[in-house]
Structures are given as C-alpha cells and as structure tokens.
PDB file of all heavy atoms in Angstrom:
ATOM      1  N   ALA A   1       6.392  10.815  14.667  1.00 98.00           N
ATOM      2  CA  ALA A   1       5.323  10.856  15.658  1.00 98.00           C
ATOM      3  C   ALA A   1       5.407   9.640  16.571  1.00 98.00           C
ATOM      4  O   ALA A   1       5.169   9.774  17.790  1.00 98.00           O
ATOM      5  CB  ALA A   1       3.969  10.930  14.939  1.00 98.00           C
ATOM      6  N   TRP A   2       5.723   8.489  16.026  1.00 98.00           N
ATOM      7  CA  TRP A   2       5.840   7.276  16.854  1.00 98.00           C
ATOM      8  C   TRP A   2       6.983   7.437  17.872  1.00 98.00           C
ATOM      9  O   TRP A   2       6.820   7.087  19.033  1.00 98.00           O
ATOM     10  CB  TRP A   2       6.120   6.076  15.960  1.00 98.00           C
ATOM     11  CG  TRP A   2       6.221   4.794  16.713  1.00 98.00           C
ATOM     12  CD1 TRP A   2       5.196   3.950  17.083  1.00 98.00           C
ATOM     13  CD2 TRP A   2       7.435   4.179  17.214  1.00 98.00           C
ATOM     14  NE1 TRP A   2       5.691   2.867  17.798  1.00 98.00           N
ATOM     15  CE2 TRP A   2       7.053   3.005  17.877  1.00 98.00           C
ATOM     16  CE3 TRP A   2       8.768   4.539  17.168  1.00 98.00           C
ATOM     17  CZ2 TRP A   2       8.009   2.136  18.492  1.00 98.00           C
ATOM     18  CZ3 TRP A   2       9.704   3.724  17.772  1.00 98.00           C
ATOM     19  CH2 TRP A   2       9.306   2.515  18.420  1.00 98.00           C
ATOM     20  N   CYS A   3       8.113   7.995  17.446  1.00 98.00           N
ATOM     21  CA  CYS A   3       9.243   8.181  18.330  1.00 98.00           C
ATOM     22  C   CYS A   3       8.897   9.131  19.453  1.00 98.00           C
ATOM     23  O   CYS A   3       9.265   8.919  20.620  1.00 98.00           O
ATOM     24  CB  CYS A   3      10.448   8.701  17.566  1.00 98.00           C
ATOM     25  SG  CYS A   3      11.232   7.475  16.487  1.00 98.00           S
ATOM     26  N   ILE A   4       8.227  10.217  19.143  1.00 98.00           N
ATOM     27  CA  ILE A   4       7.882  11.202  20.134  1.00 98.00           C
ATOM     28  C   ILE A   4       6.953  10.571  21.178  1.00 98.00           C
ATOM     29  O   ILE A   4       7.110  10.783  22.404  1.00 98.00           O
ATOM     30  CB  ILE A   4       7.217  12.432  19.473  1.00 98.00           C
ATOM     31  CG1 ILE A   4       8.252  13.201  18.634  1.00 98.00           C
ATOM     32  CG2 ILE A   4       6.571  13.338  20.530  1.00 98.00           C
ATOM     33  CD1 ILE A   4       7.655  14.276  17.770  1.00 98.00           C
ATOM     34  N   ALA A   5       5.967   9.799  20.727  1.00 98.00           N
ATOM     35  CA  ALA A   5       5.010   9.174  21.644  1.00 98.00           C
ATOM     36  C   ALA A   5       5.740   8.092  22.487  1.00 98.00           C
ATOM     37  O   ALA A   5       5.504   7.988  23.687  1.00 98.00           O
ATOM     38  CB  ALA A   5       3.859   8.534  20.857  1.00 98.00           C
ATOM     39  N   ALA A   6       6.611   7.310  21.854  1.00 98.00           N
ATOM     40  CA  ALA A   6       7.351   6.262  22.617  1.00 98.00           C
ATOM     41  C   ALA A   6       8.274   6.882  23.624  1.00 98.00           C
ATOM     42  O   ALA A   6       8.464   6.329  24.716  1.00 98.00           O
ATOM     43  CB  ALA A   6       8.094   5.384  21.635  1.00 98.00           C
ATOM     44  N   LEU A   7       8.897   8.005  23.275  1.00 98.00           N
ATOM     45  CA  LEU A   7       9.779   8.729  24.194  1.00 98.00           C
ATOM     46  C   LEU A   7       8.993   9.190  25.392  1.00 98.00           C
ATOM     47  O   LEU A   7       9.420   9.064  26.578  1.00 98.00           O
ATOM     48  CB  LEU A   7      10.436   9.905  23.500  1.00 98.00           C
ATOM     49  CG  LEU A   7      11.555  10.618  24.193  1.00 98.00           C
ATOM     50  CD1 LEU A   7      12.778   9.706  24.401  1.00 98.00           C
ATOM     51  CD2 LEU A   7      11.957  11.883  23.419  1.00 98.00           C
ATOM     52  N   ALA A   8       7.783   9.731  25.171  1.00 98.00           N
ATOM     53  CA  ALA A   8       6.956  10.226  26.256  1.00 98.00           C
ATOM     54  C   ALA A   8       6.499   9.088  27.191  1.00 98.00           C
ATOM     55  O   ALA A   8       6.351   9.312  28.404  1.00 98.00           O
ATOM     56  CB  ALA A   8       5.729  10.946  25.679  1.00 98.00           C
ATOM     57  N   ARG A   9       6.273   7.893  26.636  1.00 97.00           N
ATOM     58  CA  ARG A   9       5.871   6.730  27.433  1.00 97.00           C
ATOM     59  C   ARG A   9       7.044   6.078  28.196  1.00 97.00           C
ATOM     60  O   ARG A   9       6.844   5.245  29.057  1.00 97.00           O
ATOM     61  CB  ARG A   9       5.242   5.669  26.542  1.00 97.00           C
ATOM     62  CG  ARG A   9       3.941   6.004  25.897  1.00 97.00           C
ATOM     63  CD  ARG A   9       3.279   4.794  25.311  1.00 97.00           C
ATOM     64  NE  ARG A   9       4.121   4.099  24.369  1.00 97.00           N
ATOM     65  CZ  ARG A   9       4.155   4.338  23.042  1.00 97.00           C
ATOM     66  NH1 ARG A   9       3.336   5.249  22.525  1.00 97.00           N
ATOM     67  NH2 ARG A   9       4.974   3.637  22.286  1.00 97.00           N
ATOM     68  N   GLY A  10       8.240   6.495  27.832  1.00 97.00           N
ATOM     69  CA  GLY A  10       9.425   5.842  28.446  1.00 97.00           C
ATOM     70  C   GLY A  10       9.853   4.596  27.702  1.00 97.00           C
ATOM     71  O   GLY A  10      10.725   3.866  28.196  1.00 97.00           O
ATOM     72  N   ASP A  11       9.272   4.339  26.520  1.00 97.00           N
ATOM     73  CA  ASP A  11       9.649   3.155  25.743  1.00 97.00           C
ATOM     74  C   ASP A  11      10.935   3.393  24.961  1.00 97.00           C
ATOM     75  O   ASP A  11      11.556   2.418  24.467  1.00 97.00           O
ATOM     76  CB  ASP A  11       8.531   2.761  24.788  1.00 97.00           C
ATOM     77  CG  ASP A  11       7.263   2.276  25.537  1.00 97.00           C
ATOM     78  OD1 ASP A  11       7.420   1.869  26.682  1.00 97.00           O
ATOM     79  OD2 ASP A  11       6.191   2.312  24.938  1.00 97.00           O
ATOM     80  N   LEU A  12      11.315   4.642  24.765  1.00 98.00           N
ATOM     81  CA  LEU A  12      12.561   4.998  24.105  1.00 98.00           C
ATOM     82  C   LEU A  12      13.322   6.011  24.942  1.00 98.00           C
ATOM     83  O   LEU A  12      12.721   6.709  25.776  1.00 98.00           O
ATOM     84  CB  LEU A  12      12.323   5.613  22.719  1.00 98.00           C
ATOM     85  CG  LEU A  12      11.692   4.734  21.620  1.00 98.00           C
ATOM     86  CD1 LEU A  12      11.546   5.589  20.334  1.00 98.00           C
ATOM     87  CD2 LEU A  12      12.542   3.524  21.337  1.00 98.00           C
ATOM     88  N   ILE A  13      14.620   6.056  24.736  1.00 98.00           N
ATOM     89  CA  ILE A  13      15.459   7.141  25.297  1.00 98.00           C
ATOM     90  C   ILE A  13      16.192   7.792  24.131  1.00 98.00           C
ATOM     91  O   ILE A  13      16.265   7.248  23.029  1.00 98.00           O
ATOM     92  CB  ILE A  13      16.466   6.584  26.318  1.00 98.00           C
ATOM     93  CG1 ILE A  13      17.373   5.522  25.664  1.00 98.00           C
ATOM     94  CG2 ILE A  13      15.740   6.022  27.543  1.00 98.00           C
ATOM     95  CD1 ILE A  13      18.506   5.078  26.580  1.00 98.00           C
ATOM     96  N   GLN A  14      16.723   8.958  24.394  1.00 97.00           N
ATOM     97  CA  GLN A  14      17.569   9.631  23.428  1.00 97.00           C
ATOM     98  C   GLN A  14      19.024   9.368  23.792  1.00 97.00           C
ATOM     99  O   GLN A  14      19.426   9.433  24.956  1.00 97.00           O
ATOM    100  CB  GLN A  14      17.277  11.115  23.374  1.00 97.00           C
ATOM    101  CG  GLN A  14      15.945  11.445  22.736  1.00 97.00           C
ATOM    102  CD  GLN A  14      15.724  12.937  22.588  1.00 97.00           C
ATOM    103  OE1 GLN A  14      15.760  13.685  23.567  1.00 97.00           O
ATOM    104  NE2 GLN A  14      15.490  13.398  21.368  1.00 97.00           N
ATOM    105  N   VAL A  15      19.801   9.032  22.774  1.00 96.00           N
ATOM    106  CA  VAL A  15      21.226   8.769  22.982  1.00 96.00           C
ATOM    107  C   VAL A  15      22.059   9.568  21.966  1.00 96.00           C
ATOM    108  O   VAL A  15      21.515  10.090  20.959  1.00 96.00           O
ATOM    109  CB  VAL A  15      21.531   7.253  22.786  1.00 96.00           C
ATOM    110  CG1 VAL A  15      20.813   6.439  23.843  1.00 96.00           C
ATOM    111  CG2 VAL A  15      21.138   6.751  21.387  1.00 96.00           C
ATOM    112  N   GLN A  16      23.337   9.684  22.225  1.00 96.00           N
ATOM    113  CA  GLN A  16      24.256  10.300  21.324  1.00 96.00           C
ATOM    114  C   GLN A  16      25.152   9.204  20.757  1.00 96.00           C
ATOM    115  O   GLN A  16      25.789   8.435  21.498  1.00 96.00           O
ATOM    116  CB  GLN A  16      25.122  11.361  22.015  1.00 96.00           C
ATOM    117  CG  GLN A  16      24.336  12.577  22.511  1.00 96.00           C
ATOM    118  CD  GLN A  16      23.869  13.423  21.340  1.00 96.00           C
ATOM    119  OE1 GLN A  16      24.591  13.618  20.360  1.00 96.00           O
ATOM    120  NE2 GLN A  16      22.682  13.990  21.482  1.00 96.00           N
ATOM    121  N   VAL A  17      25.197   9.080  19.452  1.00 96.00           N
ATOM    122  CA  VAL A  17      25.950   8.013  18.783  1.00 96.00           C
ATOM    123  C   VAL A  17      27.192   8.620  18.108  1.00 96.00           C
ATOM    124  O   VAL A  17      27.073   9.555  17.345  1.00 96.00           O
ATOM    125  CB  VAL A  17      25.097   7.293  17.753  1.00 96.00           C
ATOM    126  CG1 VAL A  17      25.891   6.206  17.049  1.00 96.00           C
ATOM    127  CG2 VAL A  17      23.826   6.694  18.420  1.00 96.00           C
ATOM    128  N   GLU A  18      28.338   8.033  18.426  1.00 95.00           N
ATOM    129  CA  GLU A  18      29.590   8.538  17.844  1.00 95.00           C
ATOM    130  C   GLU A  18      29.732   8.022  16.416  1.00 95.00           C
ATOM    131  O   GLU A  18      29.610   6.817  16.161  1.00 95.00           O
ATOM    132  CB  GLU A  18      30.794   8.100  18.655  1.00 95.00           C
ATOM    133  CG  GLU A  18      32.098   8.686  18.152  1.00 95.00           C
ATOM    134  CD  GLU A  18      33.290   8.379  19.030  1.00 95.00           C
ATOM    135  OE1 GLU A  18      33.091   7.627  20.036  1.00 95.00           O
ATOM    136  OE2 GLU A  18      34.389   8.866  18.755  1.00 95.00           O
ATOM    137  N   SER A  19      30.009   8.921  15.512  1.00 96.00           N
ATOM    138  CA  SER A  19      30.220   8.584  14.116  1.00 96.00           C
ATOM    139  C   SER A  19      31.663   8.194  13.864  1.00 96.00           C
ATOM    140  O   SER A  19      32.528   8.387  14.730  1.00 96.00           O
ATOM    141  CB  SER A  19      29.842   9.760  13.193  1.00 96.00           C
ATOM    142  OG  SER A  19      28.514  10.124  13.402  1.00 96.00           O
ATOM    143  N   ALA A  20      31.968   7.655  12.708  1.00 94.00           N
ATOM    144  CA  ALA A  20      33.330   7.246  12.369  1.00 94.00           C
ATOM    145  C   ALA A  20      34.318   8.398  12.395  1.00 94.00           C
ATOM    146  O   ALA A  20      35.490   8.204  12.702  1.00 94.00           O
ATOM    147  CB  ALA A  20      33.346   6.576  10.990  1.00 94.00           C
ATOM    148  N   ASP A  21      33.815   9.595  12.142  1.00 94.00           N
ATOM    149  CA  ASP A  21      34.703  10.782  12.148  1.00 94.00           C
ATOM    150  C   ASP A  21      34.804  11.423  13.512  1.00 94.00           C
ATOM    151  O   ASP A  21      35.435  12.488  13.652  1.00 94.00           O
ATOM    152  CB  ASP A  21      34.214  11.800  11.126  1.00 94.00           C
ATOM    153  CG  ASP A  21      32.831  12.367  11.395  1.00 94.00           C
ATOM    154  OD1 ASP A  21      32.251  12.027  12.482  1.00 94.00           O
ATOM    155  OD2 ASP A  21      32.327  13.142  10.598  1.00 94.00           O
ATOM    156  N   GLY A  22      34.199  10.806  14.528  1.00 95.00           N
ATOM    157  CA  GLY A  22      34.280  11.318  15.902  1.00 95.00           C
ATOM    158  C   GLY A  22      33.147  12.255  16.270  1.00 95.00           C
ATOM    159  O   GLY A  22      33.022  12.593  17.456  1.00 95.00           O
ATOM    160  N   SER A  23      32.338  12.676  15.323  1.00 97.00           N
ATOM    161  CA  SER A  23      31.200  13.545  15.642  1.00 97.00           C
ATOM    162  C   SER A  23      30.118  12.766  16.308  1.00 97.00           C
ATOM    163  O   SER A  23      30.046  11.539  16.203  1.00 97.00           O
ATOM    164  CB  SER A  23      30.699  14.243  14.366  1.00 97.00           C
ATOM    165  OG  SER A  23      30.213  13.271  13.446  1.00 97.00           O
ATOM    166  N   MET A  24      29.207  13.479  16.976  1.00 97.00           N
ATOM    167  CA  MET A  24      28.108  12.833  17.678  1.00 97.00           C
ATOM    168  C   MET A  24      26.806  13.157  16.988  1.00 97.00           C
ATOM    169  O   MET A  24      26.602  14.301  16.526  1.00 97.00           O
ATOM    170  CB  MET A  24      28.070  13.299  19.156  1.00 97.00           C
ATOM    171  CG  MET A  24      29.373  13.113  19.916  1.00 97.00           C
ATOM    172  SD  MET A  24      29.889  11.352  20.024  1.00 97.00           S
ATOM    173  CE  MET A  24      28.707  10.744  21.243  1.00 97.00           C
ATOM    174  N   LYS A  25      25.903  12.189  16.955  1.00 97.00           N
ATOM    175  CA  LYS A  25      24.604  12.399  16.329  1.00 97.00           C
ATOM    176  C   LYS A  25      23.527  11.837  17.244  1.00 97.00           C
ATOM    177  O   LYS A  25      23.653  10.693  17.727  1.00 97.00           O
ATOM    178  CB  LYS A  25      24.546  11.710  14.969  1.00 97.00           C
ATOM    179  CG  LYS A  25      23.205  11.975  14.208  1.00 97.00           C
ATOM    180  CD  LYS A  25      23.257  11.336  12.847  1.00 97.00           C
ATOM    181  CE  LYS A  25      21.929  11.531  12.091  1.00 97.00           C
ATOM    182  NZ  LYS A  25      21.686  12.940  11.773  1.00 97.00           N
ATOM    183  N   PRO A  26      22.442  12.597  17.493  1.00 97.00           N
ATOM    184  CA  PRO A  26      21.381  12.076  18.348  1.00 97.00           C
ATOM    185  C   PRO A  26      20.572  10.955  17.666  1.00 97.00           C
ATOM    186  O   PRO A  26      20.427  10.935  16.436  1.00 97.00           O
ATOM    187  CB  PRO A  26      20.521  13.302  18.614  1.00 97.00           C
ATOM    188  CG  PRO A  26      20.763  14.197  17.412  1.00 97.00           C
ATOM    189  CD  PRO A  26      22.175  13.963  17.018  1.00 97.00           C
TER     190      PRO A  26
END
C-alpha cells in the first residue's frame, strides 16, 4: 500500500531490474 501511494505521488518509479540469469523483474 505504501508503494502504491508513493508511486501515485511521484515519490517512486517502476523499474525493470536485470537478474543474474538475464531475466527482468519489476
């Protein structure tokens, strides 16, 4: 709930992070 609210306020962004196996995780 904190992440959703912070995202709506612009305090957070969503990113894609590359894992060691090359896959991406939000």
Side-chain angles (χ1 to χ4, degrees):
W2 181 87
C3 288
I4 292 170
L7 189 66
R9 292 193 305 268
D11 293 339
L12 293 180
I13 58 173
Q14 288 185 302
V15 296
Q16 294 289 322
V17 179
E18 186 175 3
S19 302
D21 63 4
S23 63
M24 305 299 286
K25 184 177 177 67

